[in-house]
Amino acid sequence: MKQISILYNPLINDEQKQLAATLSSVLKKNNYGTELLPIRTEAETEQFLLSTNPETCQLILSINMAGYNLLNTDTTPALNHLMTNIVNYINLSPDIFSYLFNMRMNFTMSFLFDSVENAEYVKNHHPHIRNVFGTSSIEDFLPVYLEELDWRF
């Protein structure tokens, strides 16, 4: 069974934990193991990075860019150092993440948005970001997307 770490930031709003739990439930129904990880601080992100092991975490699902609060000295996300797939699900306005979208993102990252319009916004304003998709139903889209994902990373 493939294991997925679901990162969320409970400081954004109360719905973040509920969204993480909903996505976890959807993934479990599709035979994935999940672990919910609240990320509030750089120290929690660092602890996650240090403890991530390919045997226990084959994919990271970051909700609304949770875990991107820790930057390397070259001002790129520390998550870039992980050689595992990272799927970023964003259901907030994408313009609030422009600072992050302007950074170098790893080739193992993909971005799923809660609407086609938000995905198009990112494609138009941040053309260097690859693997950008929009859907109105993440619960239906995510299992299909993961089924087609290249799990070698």
Side-chain angles (χ1 to χ4, degrees):
M1 178 182 299
K2 291 184 171 71
Q3 297 294 317
I4 299 174
S5 293
I6 301 175
L7 309 181
Y8 68 96
N9 184 344
L11 300 176
I12 292 177
N13 59 39
D14 294 335
E15 290 82 35
Q16 297 300 295
K17 184 176 183 179
Q18 183 178 348
L19 176 58
T22 298
L23 293 177
S24 175
S25 177
V26 167
L27 293 169
K28 285 179 180 179
K29 287 179 189 174
N30 286 275
N31 298 316
Y32 295 101
T34 63
E35 178 183 21
L36 298 179
L37 297 167
I39 300 289
R40 296 172 206 84
T41 65
E42 289 182 357
E44 288 177 338
T45 301
E46 183 177 25
Q47 179 60 37
F48 171 71
L49 289 169
L50 294 173
S51 67
T52 299
N53 178 333
E55 294 176 17
T56 59
C57 175
Q58 286 82 44
L59 184 131
I60 297 165
L61 174 58
S62 171
I63 297 174
N64 291 314
M65 306 301 282
Y68 286 81
N69 55 337
L70 183 62
L71 302 179
N72 295 317
T73 56
D74 64 350
T75 65
T76 60
L79 291 176
N80 278 354
H81 288 290
L82 297 176
M83 292 302 293
T84 186
N85 283 312
I86 300 174
V87 175
N88 300 285
Y89 175 62
I90 300 170
N91 70 345
L92 299 175
S93 177
D95 61 337
I96 65 175
F97 300 108
S98 287
Y99 175 75
L100 292 172
F101 293 150
N102 285 330
M103 294 180 182
R104 184 181 58 80
M105 296 289 171
N106 200 338
F107 69 96
T108 62
M109 294 183 188
S110 56
F111 298 84
L112 309 180
F113 290 88
D114 65 340
S115 71
V116 172
E117 293 80 19
N118 284 344
E120 289 301 316
Y121 174 89
V122 171
K123 288 178 183 178
N124 291 332
H125 290 86
H126 306 281
H128 66 283
I129 298 289
R130 301 183 317 164
N131 305 316
V132 176
F133 306 94
T135 180
S136 59
S137 176
I138 190 63
E139 292 89 353
D140 293 333
F141 185 83
L142 187 59
V144 173
Y145 181 75
L146 294 181
E147 185 72 27
E148 297 176 2
L149 189 66
D150 183 353
W151 288 83
R152 291 179 294 169
F153 304 105

